[in-house]
Amino acid sequence: MPLLAPAAARAAPPDRFERGEPRRPAVAIAAALAVGVCLDRWMALPIVWTLTSGAAGVLLALAAPAVRRAALPVVLAAVGAASHHVQWRAVAATDVSRRVGEEVILARLTGVLTADPREYEDPDRPSWEDSRRSVAEVRCERLDGDDGPVACSGRVRLYAAGSLGEFGAGDRVRVLGWLGPVRGPSNPGEWDRRAALRRRGIRCEMSADAGTVELLSQGWNLSAPLDWLRGRCARRIERLMPERAAAAAKALLLGDRTDLTREDRRQFMASGTMHLLAISGLHVGLLATFAAGLCRLMGFGAGTTAALCVVAVVAFALLAEFRPPVLRAALFVLLAATAWATRRTLDLFNTLCAAAAVVLLVTPASLFEPGTQLSFVAVAGLEWGRRVFASRPRWWPAGRLRWGERLWDGYRLTAGIAVWTAPLVAANFGLVSFVGYALNVALLPVFGALLAVGFVTLGLLIFVPPLATWPGVTFGVGLTALLWIVDAAAALPGGHATVPPPPGWWLGGWYAGLIGSLLVPIRRIRTPAGRGALLVGGIGWASLLAAAPGDLPDGTLRMTALNVGHGSATLIELPDGHTLLYDCGSLSGGERAADAVAAALRARGRTRIDEVVVSHADMDHFNGLPELLTGAARGGAGIGGLSIGPHFLASGQEDAQAVLEAADGVPLARLSRGLSRTAGGATLTVLHPAAALDPEASDNDRSVVLLIEYAGRRLLLTGDVEGGPQRDLVERYLTDHGPGVDVLLAPHHGGRRANPPALAEALRPRIVVASGAQHADPEFLRGVYPRAALYLTAETGAMTITVSPEGALEATPFLPKGPAASPPR
């Protein structure tokens, strides 16, 4: 500024938005590491190539300083790729997964428990079985199999029927059970449990009875005192408050969501408040703020306060098992405390990227974990909301104690979070919560105060348990009120909606645009032109999503027989866009069938089931319907109608009656022989049972048999019909339709009695699909249907059949090579 400029001009400080953007070196570092991680995940780069590229980059930077800036990203990308390769692909020669291969074997495993076993109740177990189940992780030492004893390494996830409460972290045990590779998803859209465990270095799982777990010696490891402390706190929390509040308290304070019911998880998702239960930056930030406030009240200086905040956060992170979101939040607090203590300015975006860089180095595979993605994206949304939306406008009231300004800040920052997180939530959960936007801003101060009481309770439980009673009871009352608010918000009409998940290309473009906008100077974003460009770009890209074609060509019929173990769940997408579900049940538990259907609907971009047809009143055909219907009432896939056979309730089963109770408000229809309708050129005809049937007939004899005809093709869904009713059905079929079936859903899951050679000779199916468990006999079925292409869902996963408008028939297994057999659990 010229020396002769007016004094007022010299004295006036530059506007904060006119100042230059701060340097953000961590942005480039995190981006380069992420690129390397993605390259190794998607391209499976040989480690030699990665190391060579990194070394070449280092040499180039040293030899030619002029190109150092170009070489450094190459080096960082190589580091990211190498760290991901070590975590994701590198397997020791002695690892137990190499000993097991792809088969399930009966083996005796010797190893050390890495943590205390966790127990849970399995509600789907029959009443005569112990419903308790235990899960633990074993660090392997020796494996006794068919080849004799061999030394081994690696970790195994152990599932035990019964209680393992007498065992603890560090104990050396020997287990006899079924050992095999971790099973991956076998249905469209299913959660990839194999990838989740692989990120933790676990590639095998073992199923055993608790009675076969033998204690060889008691031990100790670094996890033992933390597990003991968590267990003691959990037990005391359970004594201080009601069961539902205690489950929420353990999730909030200990990161243990084992006791949260599916209904509670669904309610938090629908209300847009699920982040309150997942320990992440919000909880760690509130803890740091609470600790800083206490320190300042006690008169501590800035340096001491910063150090104590870091100690409190690290201790809490250890108690919460240092998951990636917690690690990110702890790193963020460490950097913020350092900046505060040294009087340096903290740039939110640069600090976020620095924390991301550390997480990518420590746990690179977590980049592909939805929880970690949402954790980072939410903080980026905070910065984006601050940059894009202005401070409180003049027309917005300030209010006493600046409550108006705080409210405005809350909504503009929450809007930024919503813009960044909503697509990811839709992609992973098929849900958008509108009520969450309004609720979270109003709830945050209350939740902060409640969590402060929780932290006080936790501290007293650890150090002075007798003094924790009143804070604990108060915390329980507050959690009960919070749960009531969540339930009310989830039940609010129009508060949330089920949406098709956006495709990957759309997500990539959306986040590329958002990240690019963060790199634009704030003074340009805050202009009418800058905001207008963001608005037009966002609306335009959203319009592309609305106009994007689905994965099913127009006029195509698609039938997907889902893999639900011994059970039945077949999703049929008709040419006119309507969706039909034939059965939803499994002997492995109704939740398995309901989850498979919900996942397949999300993967297919469907948000509605127009009609559910229940073949008959056997548990493995309908026990998933109450869960599915309840989910529909809570914002899951809408269900347009429920159709049952005329004799569905004849057996008097209470569980069958429960289906009708869960379907309260859903139109109910009864199907019998002769009913027929058309949908987009497809004809659906009920072939069995008759309206009048022998009262002594079995449930299998009452199965609703459905014939679907389209483009000259026939698909026959048979339920469990067998014996005399099956012979009568075949005779009528031959009389009315003539021989020939293109696709046959094998009766009674491919069982011997229901699949006689006479059935194959009469129907002459081209494709036979058997929806059953792994004990189904493929050799028997191949002998019965020698001229048909045979697919067992236990081997192929979900089996998809498509019929084009021209009549082209295509069969596509979800697992082309067949899945690795999975140990029973």
Side-chain angles (χ1 to χ4, degrees):
M1 179 178 293
L3 294 177
L4 297 179
R10 292 200 309 267
D15 185 81
R16 57 176 176 161
F17 299 135
E18 294 298 325
R19 285 177 288 187
E21 290 289 306
R23 291 182 65 253
R24 293 177 174 137
V27 176
I29 294 173
L33 290 171
V35 168
V37 170
C38 292
L39 286 174
D40 187 73
R41 171 63 68 93
W42 297 332
M43 300 178 63
L45 299 174
I47 189 65
V48 175
W49 292 10
T50 302
L51 296 178
T52 302
S53 301
V58 172
L59 293 175
L60 185 61
L62 293 176
V67 296
R68 185 172 299 165
R69 286 194 173 185
L72 185 58
V74 175
V75 175
L76 291 171
V79 171
S83 62
H84 179 268
H85 185 95
V86 170
Q87 183 188 13
W88 188 253
R89 305 188 188 283
V91 182
T94 58
D95 192 272
V96 65
S97 61
R98 293 185 181 273
R99 305 293 185 185
V100 174
E102 295 297 323
E103 299 297 329
V104 173
I105 62 172
L106 181 63
R108 193 181 300 274
L109 180 70
T110 302
V112 176
L113 296 177
T114 61
D116 287 351
R118 294 186 177 181
E119 294 188 14
Y120 62 96
E121 295 289 328
D122 187 351
D124 291 312
R125 291 293 168 183
S127 58
W128 62 84
E129 290 186 11
D130 188 352
S131 63
R132 290 178 300 172
R133 291 292 180 269
S134 300
V135 59
E137 292 180 7
V138 181
R139 187 177 70 252
C140 304
E141 295 179 346
R142 194 179 80 167
L143 179 66
D144 296 299
D146 295 337
D147 299 330
V150 292
C152 62
S153 60
R155 292 197 293 167
V156 167
R157 172 67 67 93
L158 170 65
Y159 297 95
S163 173
L164 295 178
E166 68 271 24
F167 299 94
D171 289 350
R172 192 164 179 265
V173 297
R174 183 163 54 210
V175 188
L176 175 65
W178 293 98
L179 178 66
V182 177
R183 184 181 61 189
S186 60
N187 293 301
E190 209 166 49
W191 175 60
D192 195 345
R193 188 171 61 91
R194 177 173 57 190
L197 291 178
R198 185 174 176 179
R199 283 192 288 266
R200 302 175 58 184
I202 300 173
R203 290 177 168 82
C204 289
E205 59 185 351
M206 190 174 198
S207 179
D209 188 85
T212 68
V213 182
E214 178 186 358
L215 177 65
L216 299 180
S217 62
Q218 290 185 327
W220 184 91
N221 61 20
L222 292 176
S223 177
L226 289 173
D227 286 337
W228 173 84
L229 187 59
R230 289 190 202 100
R232 190 181 73 162
C233 291
R235 289 188 294 273
R236 288 175 174 171
I237 286 172
E238 291 169 356
R239 291 196 294 266
L240 286 174
M241 56 192 73
E243 181 179 358
R244 192 180 177 206
K250 287 187 285 185
L252 286 169
L253 301 179
L254 303 174
D256 181 8
R257 291 188 275 177
T258 305
D259 293 337
L260 280 174
T261 65
R262 290 167 64 89
E263 180 65 14
D264 281 340
R265 294 169 190 257
R266 188 158 43 215
Q267 297 292 76
F268 274 92
M269 282 293 300
S271 64
T273 55
M274 189 63 187
H275 60 282
L276 299 182
L277 286 180
I279 295 180
S280 60
L282 174 63
H283 305 72
V284 174
L286 288 173
L287 173 61
T289 302
F290 180 59
L294 287 179
C295 290
R296 298 310 295 264
L297 284 175
M298 299 176 68
F300 294 148
T304 304
T305 298
L308 291 177
C309 285
V310 170
V311 170
V313 165
V314 171
F316 180 63
L318 286 171
L319 203 60
E321 300 183 80
F322 250 123
R323 296 177 178 88
V326 180
L327 172 62
R328 190 269 305 163
L331 289 169
F332 193 89
V333 170
L334 175 61
L335 294 172
T338 303
W340 184 36
T342 57
R343 312 291 184 183
R344 292 180 178 272
T345 302
L346 183 71
D347 181 75
L348 183 65
F349 192 38
N350 191 62
T351 307
L352 169 68
C353 291
V358 176
V359 171
L360 289 173
L361 288 172
V362 177
T363 58
S366 65
L367 177 64
F368 304 96
E369 187 177 28
T372 303
Q373 293 171 357
L374 286 168
S375 179
F376 280 107
V377 160
V379 179
L382 279 173
E383 171 66 7
W384 191 85
R386 183 191 70 81
R387 293 166 61 88
V388 172
F389 302 110
S391 302
R392 179 183 64 86
R394 293 181 178 180
W395 53 265
W396 184 272
R400 294 184 178 181
L401 301 178
R402 300 174 60 194
W403 65 265
E405 184 173 344
R406 291 190 176 95
L407 190 63
W408 176 268
D409 285 342
Y411 277 115
R412 69 171 178 145
L413 297 180
T414 304
I417 294 174
V419 168
W420 279 72
T421 60
L424 267 182
V425 172
N428 288 285
F429 307 106
L431 184 74
V432 171
S433 177
F434 307 109
V435 68
Y437 175 70
L439 181 61
N440 279 301
V441 177
L443 203 57
L444 186 59
V446 178
F447 180 73
L450 178 62
L451 198 57
V453 176
F455 288 139
V456 170
T457 302
L458 182 62
L460 292 175
L461 285 174
I462 294 174
F463 298 108
V464 196
L467 298 182
T469 301
W470 284 111
V473 171
T474 304
F475 187 47
V477 172
L479 283 176
T480 302
L482 174 65
L483 291 167
W484 181 87
I485 293 172
V486 167
D487 291 343
L492 192 67
H496 58 279
T498 303
V499 296
W505 63 264
W506 189 91
L507 284 174
W510 181 265
Y511 285 108
L514 289 177
I515 293 172
S517 68
L518 279 176
L519 301 177
V520 176
I522 194 169
R523 63 180 181 272
R524 296 183 180 177
I525 289 290
R526 289 281 183 86
T527 63
R531 287 177 176 147
L534 286 178
L535 181 62
V536 171
I539 293 175
W541 199 249
S543 300
L544 282 180
L545 177 62
D551 66 332
L552 189 64
D554 291 340
T556 300
L557 182 146
R558 179 164 60 190
M559 183 189 90
T560 306
L562 299 171
N563 179 29
V564 293
H566 187 92
S568 174
T570 303
L571 186 66
I572 302 152
E573 298 163 84
L574 297 170
D576 63 353
H578 285 79
T579 304
L580 176 75
L581 178 64
Y582 183 80
D583 283 339
C584 181
S586 172
L587 287 185
S588 301
E591 291 180 353
R592 176 174 180 180
D595 287 345
V597 171
L601 286 170
R602 286 196 301 270
R604 304 303 196 201
R606 303 280 179 169
T607 60
R608 179 179 175 83
I609 302 174
D610 293 286
E611 185 177 2
V612 177
V613 176
V614 185
S615 62
H616 63 294
D618 272 357
M619 293 288 290
D620 55 338
H621 289 256
F622 73 85
N623 65 352
L625 282 177
E627 173 73 18
L628 195 66
L629 289 161
T630 303
R634 299 292 187 273
I639 295 180
L642 175 65
S643 298
I644 58 176
H647 318 286
F648 182 69
L649 297 177
S651 62
Q653 287 193 45
E654 293 183 4
D655 294 317
Q657 184 64 44
V659 171
L660 301 187
E661 294 174 358
D664 184 33
V666 177
L668 180 66
R670 296 182 184 274
L671 304 179
S672 59
R673 188 171 67 211
L675 291 177
S676 180
R677 69 178 178 88
T678 60
T683 302
L684 289 74
T685 306
V686 179
L687 302 183
H688 187 77
L693 196 66
D694 183 356
E696 299 300 322
S698 68
D699 286 329
N700 291 345
D701 295 342
R702 301 184 175 106
S703 293
V704 173
V705 178
L706 189 64
L707 173 66
I708 303 174
E709 297 174 283
Y710 180 62
R713 301 295 186 180
R714 298 174 182 172
L715 293 77
L716 189 62
L717 288 71
T718 57
D720 282 354
V721 67
E722 57 188 8
Q726 184 189 93
R727 290 190 292 272
D728 295 340
L729 168 68
V730 171
E731 289 179 6
R732 288 193 304 273
Y733 179 86
L734 294 176
T735 301
D736 297 339
H737 303 278
V741 168
D742 292 286
V743 180
L744 174 67
L745 190 62
H748 211 162
H749 317 286
R752 289 176 176 269
R753 180 180 174 184
N755 291 269
L759 178 68
E761 294 171 4
L763 297 182
R764 303 174 194 170
R766 298 182 59 188
I767 297 174
V768 176
V769 179
S771 176
Q774 290 168 345
H775 56 258
D777 190 345
E779 294 305 319
F780 162 74
L781 290 173
R782 289 189 179 97
V784 173
Y785 303 103
R787 292 186 294 274
L790 176 66
Y791 300 99
L792 281 71
T793 57
E795 295 179 348
T796 65
M799 192 64 214
T800 300
I801 310 293
T802 57
V803 181
S804 73
E806 296 76 28
L809 189 69
E810 183 178 358
T812 307
F814 187 79
L815 304 172
K817 297 181 181 179
S822 177
R825 291 170 54 193

